[in-house]
């Protein structure tokens, strides 16, 4: 079921099922009597012995009921069960806002109910479980979990076993857990092992771990579909396996940009309820070969320099990025190049339109309907989308040439805790486009103002030396670099292509990693008289060994267990409306 269709189906059927009364009775919570009502889509309980004005009502969507247990049950911080004949416990999603995050935190809500009889207790537990099963068809039953024990503060195992595993057990989700011992182990497992029976893949780690999972899931899907990833003109097949992210890294940009918070419990609950957030993916190519996939940043110039310099100071930990950023800023470098881009339709959306991609985003939903109006299955959707891209005339491409402080392409806002609005605040997660940001050579103080804007809500594009364009594809070229890069990189690319199919792509990715390790460091001391002519590309935290690259946005290529950033104001308003109906 496609993104737009799901919301229409939910809206239509929520009206029909709301009047479907399943069960109603008096229940006790503590020493207070409540009138409990289970309809098709909601479970509500209202205080029964107070005046109407003072009555307290709690309304929980059935889709957000996490589990129903007989007796008095605790799950967190440790499980305890008091088996009683007339009691049952309902676990559900509770929301709260926080000043440090843009989205809403989800936590485990828990209410213990007492019934007049065991028969009534059994009725309630049976009806609630049936309702959850009926109206939550996308919930996963079996997950493949990868834990990076070395990422961030090295608390991946602790986070999973103390917070995630108990919630999976509550929701009757079985999991196969693999603690990784080397780089790319998760990617290789996804490419080679039998994945039958798994509904999704979960990574416990940071953005690096997510990137491994992303490459493995996309690669496996193309392998099974017989699609060559190296050819930019070939449509990639959508990935059936959902990806869940449990944040446990030093950077969790993807988790923050798709949910608005960095919280393991929130992410776990989104997985349990089966949320499905489509996500655009950018493929990066050199010549006729795939280099990497990206979802957050492909950056040349300043962002590439910072990553390259930070590799020399890994012993410093996360603070190395601040240190390297200061060094790179003081070096005051700019780079010559030519950028070619294929603009998206400016009438549909704009990176300057001041909108945010929130949960249930209309721009993303309309993009699905517009690009694939007559398609019901995802395979034909992607074929249709790719044909539209392949028929774009070269006349529609735009070229700009000059010296740049940085060139950046992002498929999402790329927001994080330190930059709550991100690189491009109005970028969308699933509209089939990316935002191209060009920062021309300028005075160092002006560039510093531009960088500082990323920590505030001010318009980071409101400078005469900054351009931003919504695009479908990008090419970057550096005069005189083609022949040199061809001699250095073409051999490894040919070896990968000659291997054929997915094995060739896997070989090429491994070869790329080996070359990355031998890239000559370009940073020199601040007193160096001659600045380097060429920067490097930063692709989601990995250095690319090539300068002349091409990028293509693949609309809604993967799906996450997420629902986008929830608007706190609309959620609160909806809750007030629900309560007023009782």
């Amino acid at each position: 079921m496609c993104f737009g269709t799901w919301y229409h189906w939910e809206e239509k059927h929520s009206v029909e099922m709301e009047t479907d009364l399943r069960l109603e009775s008096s229940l006790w919570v503590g020493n207070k009597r409540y009138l409990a009502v289970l309809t098709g889509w909601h479970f509500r309980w209202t205080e029964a012995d107070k005046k109407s004005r003072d009555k307290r009502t709690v309304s929980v969507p059935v889709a957000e009921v996490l589990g129903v247990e007989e007796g008095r049950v605790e799950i967190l911080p440790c499980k305890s069960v008091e088996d009683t004949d007339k009691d049952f416990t309902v676990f559900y999603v509770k929301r709260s806002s926080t000043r440090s995050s843009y989205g809403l935190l989800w936590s485990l809500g828990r209410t213990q109910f007492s019934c007049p009889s065991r028969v009534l207790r059994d009725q309630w537990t049976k009806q609630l479980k049936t309702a959850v099963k009926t109206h939550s068809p996308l919930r996963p039953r079996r997950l493949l979990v990868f834990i990076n024990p070395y990422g961030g503060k090295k608390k991946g195992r602790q986070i999973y076993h103390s917070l995630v595993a108990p919630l999976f057990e509550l929701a009757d989700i079985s999991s196969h857990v693999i603690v990784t011992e080397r780089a790319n182990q998760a990617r290789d497992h996804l490419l080679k092992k039998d994945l039958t029976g798994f509904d999704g893949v979960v990574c416990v780690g940071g953005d690096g771990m997510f990137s491994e999972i992303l490459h493995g899931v996309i690669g496996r899907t193309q392998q099974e579909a017989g699609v060559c990833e190296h050819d930019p003109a070939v449509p990639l097949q959508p990935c059936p396996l959902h990806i869940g992210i449990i944040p446990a890294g030093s950077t969790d940009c993807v988790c923050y940009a798709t949910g608005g918070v960095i919280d393991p419990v929130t992410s776990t609950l989104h997985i349990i309820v089966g949320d499905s957030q489509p996500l655009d993916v950018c493929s990066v190519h050199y010549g006729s070969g795939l280099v990497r996939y990206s979802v957050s940043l492909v950056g040349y110039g300043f962002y590439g320099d910072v990553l390259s310099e930070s590799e020399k100071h890994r012993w410093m930990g996360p603070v190395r990025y601040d240190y390297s950023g200061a060094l790179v800023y003081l070096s005051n470098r700019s780079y010559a190049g030519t950028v070619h881009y294929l603009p998206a339709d400016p009438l549909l959306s704009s990176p300057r339109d001041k909108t945010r991609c929130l949960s249930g985003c209309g721009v993303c939903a309309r993009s699905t309907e517009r690009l694939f109006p007559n398609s019901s299955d995802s395979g034909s959707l992607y074929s249709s989308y790719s044909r539209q891209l392949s028929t774009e005339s070269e006349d529609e491409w735009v070229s700009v040439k000059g010296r740049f402080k940085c060139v950046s392409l992002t498929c999402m806002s790329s927001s994080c805790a330190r930059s709550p609005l991100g690189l491009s605040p109005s970028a969308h997660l699933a509209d089939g486009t990316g935002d191209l940001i060009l920062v021309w050579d300028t005075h160092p103080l002006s560039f510093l103002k531009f960088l500082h804007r990323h920590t505030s809500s001010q318009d980071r594009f409101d400078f005469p030396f900054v351009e931003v364009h919504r695009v479908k594809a990008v090419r970057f070229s550096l005069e005189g670099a083609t022949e040199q890069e061809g001699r250095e990189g073409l051999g490894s690319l040919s070896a990968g292509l000659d291997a054929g199919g997915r094995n060739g792509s896997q070989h090429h990715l491994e070869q790329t990693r080996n070359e990355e390790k031998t890239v000559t460091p370009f940073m020199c001391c601040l007193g160096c008289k001659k600045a380097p002519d060429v920067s490097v590309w930063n692709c989601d935290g990995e250095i690319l060994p090539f300068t002349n690259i091409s990028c293509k946005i693949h609309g809604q290529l993967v799906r996450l267990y997420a629902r986008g950033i929830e608007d706190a104001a609309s959620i609160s308003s909806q809750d007030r409306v629900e309560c007023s109906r009782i």
Side-chain angles (χ1 to χ4, degrees):
M1 186 177 292
C2 71
F3 181 67
T5 305
W6 168 256
Y7 280 98
H8 293 161
W9 181 87
E10 185 180 58
E11 180 181 358
K12 174 184 176 182
H13 286 266
S14 63
V15 175
E16 294 177 355
M17 297 297 296
E18 192 58 36
T19 58
D20 180 16
L21 181 63
R22 292 175 175 267
L23 191 58
E24 178 179 359
S25 76
S26 291
L27 299 175
W28 275 259
V29 178
N31 58 0
K32 294 183 179 180
R33 187 170 68 93
Y34 284 76
L35 177 63
V37 180
L38 174 62
T39 63
W41 288 90
H42 284 85
F43 175 44
R44 302 185 180 95
W45 56 100
T46 305
E47 287 184 281
D49 299 325
K50 284 189 177 182
K51 296 180 179 180
S52 297
R53 184 177 300 179
D54 301 325
K55 287 184 178 181
R56 175 177 177 266
T57 296
V58 179
S59 179
V60 177
V62 170
E64 294 181 6
V65 173
L66 305 171
V68 181
E69 299 286 337
E70 296 180 351
R72 298 177 177 269
V73 182
E74 291 270 14
I75 297 296
L76 297 176
C78 57
K79 185 173 182 179
S80 65
V81 179
E82 181 183 349
D83 191 10
T84 54
D85 289 342
K86 300 178 182 180
D87 300 328
F88 67 96
T89 306
V90 178
F91 297 90
Y92 51 91
V93 172
K94 287 183 67 176
R95 292 175 172 83
S96 62
S97 59
T98 172
R99 293 182 179 179
S100 61
S101 301
Y102 187 76
L104 293 177
L105 283 172
W106 282 21
S107 60
L108 183 65
R110 167 181 164 274
T111 300
Q112 294 176 345
F113 296 95
S114 296
C115 302
S117 67
R118 179 169 183 169
V119 173
L120 184 60
R121 192 277 306 268
D122 292 344
Q123 278 186 290
W124 273 108
T125 56
K126 179 181 179 181
Q127 291 289 350
L128 281 167
K129 290 179 179 180
T130 301
V132 170
K133 185 176 181 180
T134 302
H135 300 304
S136 302
L138 299 179
R139 291 195 179 191
R141 308 314 315 166
R142 188 165 181 247
L143 296 171
L144 177 59
V145 180
F146 292 96
I147 301 176
N148 178 5
Y150 307 108
K153 298 180 180 180
K154 300 181 179 181
K155 292 185 176 180
R157 289 181 180 176
Q158 177 185 341
I159 288 173
Y160 179 79
H161 291 295
S162 63
L163 297 177
V164 180
L167 294 175
F168 280 174
E169 181 183 357
L170 169 67
D172 293 326
I173 295 175
S174 64
S175 58
H176 178 65
V177 180
I178 298 175
V179 179
T180 59
E181 300 176 349
R182 60 175 176 83
N184 290 320
Q185 180 180 345
R187 183 204 68 186
D188 295 343
H189 185 99
L190 291 169
L191 291 174
K192 300 175 182 178
K193 301 298 183 179
D194 183 13
L195 303 179
T196 303
F198 290 110
D199 301 307
V201 184
V202 175
C203 64
V204 184
D207 291 331
M209 189 66 173
F210 170 78
S211 183
E212 276 196 45
I213 301 296
L214 180 75
H215 282 81
V217 168
I218 296 177
R220 179 61 175 264
T221 302
Q222 310 320 307
Q223 173 187 343
E224 294 181 346
V227 173
C228 177
E229 297 171 90
H230 290 297
D231 188 350
V234 172
L236 298 182
Q237 293 298 306
C239 303
L241 284 178
H242 279 59
I243 302 175
I245 309 173
I246 306 297
S250 54
T251 60
D252 298 291
C253 173
V254 178
C255 185
Y256 192 96
T258 56
V261 296
I262 298 176
D263 176 63
V265 171
T266 299
S267 297
T268 303
L269 298 183
H270 280 291
I271 295 171
I272 290 174
V273 301
D275 278 338
S276 183
Q277 171 62 54
L279 188 66
D280 298 336
V281 177
C282 173
S283 61
V284 182
H285 299 261
Y286 169 70
S288 59
L290 172 72
V291 182
R292 288 192 72 83
Y293 293 108
S294 166
V295 296
S296 58
L297 171 68
V298 182
Y300 182 82
F302 179 79
Y303 295 111
D305 291 0
V306 170
L307 179 61
S308 183
E309 177 67 15
S310 71
E311 288 300 301
K312 304 176 185 178
H313 312 287
R314 297 189 67 87
W315 58 271
M316 298 176 67
V319 75
R320 70 184 183 272
Y321 296 112
D322 295 330
Y323 175 76
S324 301
L327 285 182
V328 172
Y329 168 76
L330 291 173
S331 68
N332 189 31
R333 293 188 176 126
S334 61
Y335 301 94
T338 302
V339 181
H340 313 266
Y341 63 90
L342 182 61
D345 189 342
L347 299 179
L348 300 176
S349 65
S350 165
R352 301 294 300 275
D353 60 16
K354 306 295 183 182
T355 63
R356 294 298 308 275
C357 185
L358 301 175
S359 179
C361 174
V363 172
C364 295
R366 288 192 296 271
S367 295
T368 303
E369 297 169 354
R370 183 189 71 256
L371 293 171
F372 324 117
N374 300 316
S375 301
S376 57
D377 66 284
S378 55
S380 58
L381 297 188
Y382 279 72
S383 300
S384 172
Y385 176 66
S386 182
R387 282 195 298 270
Q388 291 183 28
L389 274 182
S390 62
T391 57
E392 299 284 0
S393 168
E394 281 293 327
D395 295 337
E396 298 182 38
W397 286 75
V398 178
S399 299
V400 291
K401 183 178 181 180
R403 295 193 68 84
F404 303 96
K405 284 285 190 182
C406 56
V407 176
S408 306
L409 176 65
T410 180
C411 292
M412 57 173 61
S413 67
S414 293
S415 57
C416 62
R418 301 183 67 174
S419 178
L421 298 183
L423 293 175
S424 185
S426 294
H428 289 273
L429 295 174
D431 68 340
T433 70
D435 285 356
L436 173 66
I437 305 166
L438 305 176
V439 182
W440 298 84
D441 192 14
T442 187
H443 191 277
L445 288 180
S446 297
F447 185 57
L448 182 61
K449 291 180 181 178
F450 165 76
L451 294 176
H452 185 263
R453 288 277 178 94
H454 289 74
T455 65
S456 69
S457 59
Q458 290 181 284
D459 186 356
R460 63 262 296 118
F461 304 136
D462 189 21
F463 293 99
F465 56 89
V466 177
E467 294 182 22
V468 59
H469 307 278
R470 188 143 289 172
V471 301
K472 293 184 280 188
V474 174
R475 297 196 297 257
F476 182 87
S477 61
L478 185 68
E479 297 299 331
T482 304
E483 292 184 5
Q484 180 182 357
E485 285 191 348
R487 286 194 297 270
E488 295 177 354
L490 193 56
S492 63
L493 266 173
S494 299
L497 289 171
D498 290 342
R502 180 60 223 175
N503 291 331
S505 179
Q506 180 186 344
H507 173 78
H508 171 60
L509 281 174
E510 193 64 42
Q511 199 71 4
T512 298
R513 277 198 166 275
N514 293 335
E515 292 189 36
E516 287 174 4
K517 298 177 182 178
T518 61
V519 173
T520 303
F522 68 90
M523 281 294 293
C524 46
C525 66
L526 296 178
C528 181
K529 294 182 179 179
K530 183 179 180 181
D533 295 327
V534 181
S535 178
V536 295
W537 284 98
N538 176 347
C539 181
D540 287 0
E542 296 285 344
I543 296 175
L544 301 186
F546 309 109
T547 303
N548 290 1
I549 64 171
S550 61
C551 304
K552 176 183 175 181
I553 311 299
H554 302 268
Q556 304 182 15
L557 184 60
V558 298
R559 286 183 175 268
L560 305 183
Y561 285 120
R563 65 172 60 180
I565 298 174
E566 291 184 299
D567 185 359
S570 67
I571 293 295
S572 299
S573 174
Q574 182 180 0
D575 288 344
R576 286 193 295 269
V577 170
E578 291 293 346
C579 290
S580 68
R581 291 176 179 173
I582 300 299

